[in-house]
Amino acid sequence: MQALSGLSLEQLQSFCLEQGFPKFTARQLCDWMYRKRVGNFDSMTNLSLKIRARLNEIATVGRSAPVDCQTSADGTKKYLFAIQDPQSDGHNHVESVYIPDGDRATLCVSCQRGCKMGCRFCVTGKQGFHGSLDAAAILNQIFSIPESETLSNIVFMGMGEPLDNYDALCQSLQVLTADWGLGWSPHRITVSTVGITPMLRRLLDETQVHVAVSLHNPFADERAAIMPMQKAYPIADIISLLKQYNWFGQRRISFEYTMFRGINDDLVHAAELVRLLKGLRCRVNLIRFHASPEMPYKTSDERTMTAFEDYLNAHGVTCTIRASRGEDIMAACGLLAGKNK
């Protein structure tokens, strides 16, 4: 059965006309699914009984509740969702992370089961790739948690590489930002990427969302050792592309930089970052590496991270150390595995 969540107004209009429904039914569906966040057709009371009965025969809204929730000591929540896939190889769960912070409430959303990018320090990447999510499964993470209506921000930084699932990502972004959908400002949304250059160019041309690039090492050979995609999409090319755009409006570009003890935390690396990012208005977020028994890396100490931060700020690159959230429930950066406990 077809899941209707994730379809645009235009797509829903085509669907309704194919079924012999009035064209205005599409806008009613948008209102119920996206504005009122209703998860079943029977509750859509301004649709005729005949239309509701037909919809129940051929389609679903595409909503399913999380199958598990873990709560961190710091208030972060990690939700586990089951993904229905007849071709599943057993890896049929994804995780999303709810992060409350004062008057902000951010949800970190997954786009894939596993990941193809193979970053050596990432638990998600270590498990390999097991399939992309459709727009309904991506949006379900947003609409099906109890805190759905309190969210202030969405970050596509969960499991998977968002730009490797570009069409489903853009369908989701359209639902979040269109006037027939949630009507959010695109500046409430951030998409993270290792830098798949052709898709990154499309994202920059076709949307106004914020962009976060996983950088982690400014030296090409060292970056390739921990991020294999450096060979296909060099960081120098990614930054050259970003410099072609105007970043002086509300749109924001940031770089994620996970700190590994003795690997990328020397001031030589900081100096190379300054050289690499010269002329680009951006922010560097320093991230503590979250140790896992599966990984050989260690976390940089606080003094080293602070010295690195101070060097970048002193040389004109805005830099902050990101607060770790949810590490005790394996919900912090790089730890999502989609495993049902």
Side-chain angles (χ1 to χ4, degrees):
M1 297 176 74
Q2 181 177 4
L4 299 189
S5 182
L7 297 185
S8 67
L9 174 61
E10 184 178 359
Q11 289 170 320
L12 285 168
Q13 287 172 339
S14 297
F15 169 81
C16 288
L17 292 176
E18 288 171 5
Q19 297 301 322
F21 302 159
K23 187 176 180 180
F24 63 77
T25 304
R27 193 167 286 276
Q28 293 174 314
L29 285 168
C30 284
D31 184 57
W32 284 109
M33 291 193 299
Y34 304 141
R35 298 280 181 82
K36 297 186 173 81
R37 304 174 193 238
V38 165
N40 65 82
F41 298 123
D42 291 330
S43 299
M44 301 180 183
T45 52
N46 62 350
L47 274 61
S48 70
L49 290 174
K50 182 178 179 181
I51 288 177
R52 280 182 269 170
R54 179 59 179 159
L55 286 171
N56 281 320
E57 290 175 358
I58 63 173
T60 67
V61 172
R63 302 283 166 76
S64 60
V67 298
D68 188 35
C69 175
Q70 298 178 57
T71 303
S72 167
D74 64 25
T76 299
K77 293 183 179 181
K78 182 171 72 170
Y79 287 101
L80 184 74
F81 291 90
I83 303 300
Q84 304 304 317
D85 181 357
Q87 306 299 319
S88 172
D89 56 4
H91 295 264
N92 56 354
H93 290 85
V94 297
E95 293 170 329
S96 57
V97 180
Y98 170 74
I99 308 168
D101 185 17
D103 59 356
R104 290 169 60 91
T106 300
L107 187 69
C108 181
V109 177
S110 294
C111 289
Q112 296 179 316
R113 289 176 287 136
C115 187
K116 296 178 188 175
M117 302 299 109
C119 297
R120 309 298 188 209
F121 51 87
C122 178
V123 173
T124 305
K126 193 171 180 62
Q127 70 177 249
F129 177 70
H130 304 284
S132 290
L133 306 188
D134 60 17
I138 294 173
L139 291 168
N140 182 59
Q141 298 168 68
I142 298 168
F143 287 121
S144 293
I145 63 171
E147 301 85 0
S148 177
E149 296 194 48
T150 69
L151 295 174
S152 62
N153 299 85
I154 300 292
V155 292
F156 288 85
M157 292 183 182
M159 298 172 65
E161 163 57 56
L163 298 191
D164 189 46
N165 190 15
Y166 188 79
D167 290 342
L169 169 69
C170 283
Q171 278 187 261
S172 304
L173 294 177
Q174 192 175 17
V175 169
L176 292 171
T177 60
D179 58 1
W180 45 259
L182 292 190
W184 276 26
S185 164
H187 301 131
R188 295 170 65 180
I189 303 167
T190 300
V191 174
S192 178
T193 178
V194 300
I196 301 177
T197 316
M199 295 299 101
L200 178 57
R201 183 182 293 277
R202 286 190 61 185
L203 185 76
L204 296 171
D205 289 340
E206 297 171 8
T207 78
Q208 285 296 315
V209 298
H210 298 316
V211 175
V213 175
S214 297
L215 200 161
H216 308 304
N217 201 306
F219 294 108
D221 56 342
E222 294 182 16
R223 187 172 188 259
I226 59 172
M227 299 180 68
M229 294 307 291
Q230 161 70 19
K231 295 176 183 178
Y233 305 110
I235 190 62
D237 292 352
I238 295 166
I239 291 172
S240 177
L241 170 63
L242 294 172
K243 286 180 178 179
Q244 297 173 26
Y245 291 81
N246 178 9
W247 297 97
F248 290 88
Q250 289 182 300
R251 191 178 201 172
R252 184 176 63 243
I253 176 68
S254 59
F255 292 92
E256 311 296 281
Y257 196 94
T258 301
M259 300 285 283
F260 305 106
R261 187 186 306 175
I263 294 177
N264 68 345
D265 60 354
D266 191 276
L267 291 186
V268 171
H269 294 89
E272 180 63 10
L273 266 180
V274 171
R275 186 198 67 78
L276 195 63
L277 299 178
K278 185 177 180 181
L280 181 62
R281 185 176 180 180
C282 62
R283 174 185 296 274
V284 173
N285 294 316
L286 302 183
I287 303 169
R288 293 171 179 84
F289 172 65
H290 302 108
S292 164
E294 305 172 42
M295 305 294 172
Y297 309 106
K298 295 182 179 180
T299 307
S300 300
D301 60 55
E302 196 71 28
R303 178 180 294 181
T304 300
M305 292 189 68
T306 301
F308 202 98
E309 176 191 27
D310 290 345
Y311 184 96
L312 291 183
N313 282 316
H315 289 80
V317 177
T318 302
C319 179
T320 56
I321 298 174
R322 178 182 291 168
S324 293
R325 298 290 300 269
E327 187 172 4
D328 56 330
I329 57 170
M330 295 288 285
C333 291
L335 296 181
L336 299 185
K339 294 181 179 178
N340 190 339
K341 67 178 181 180

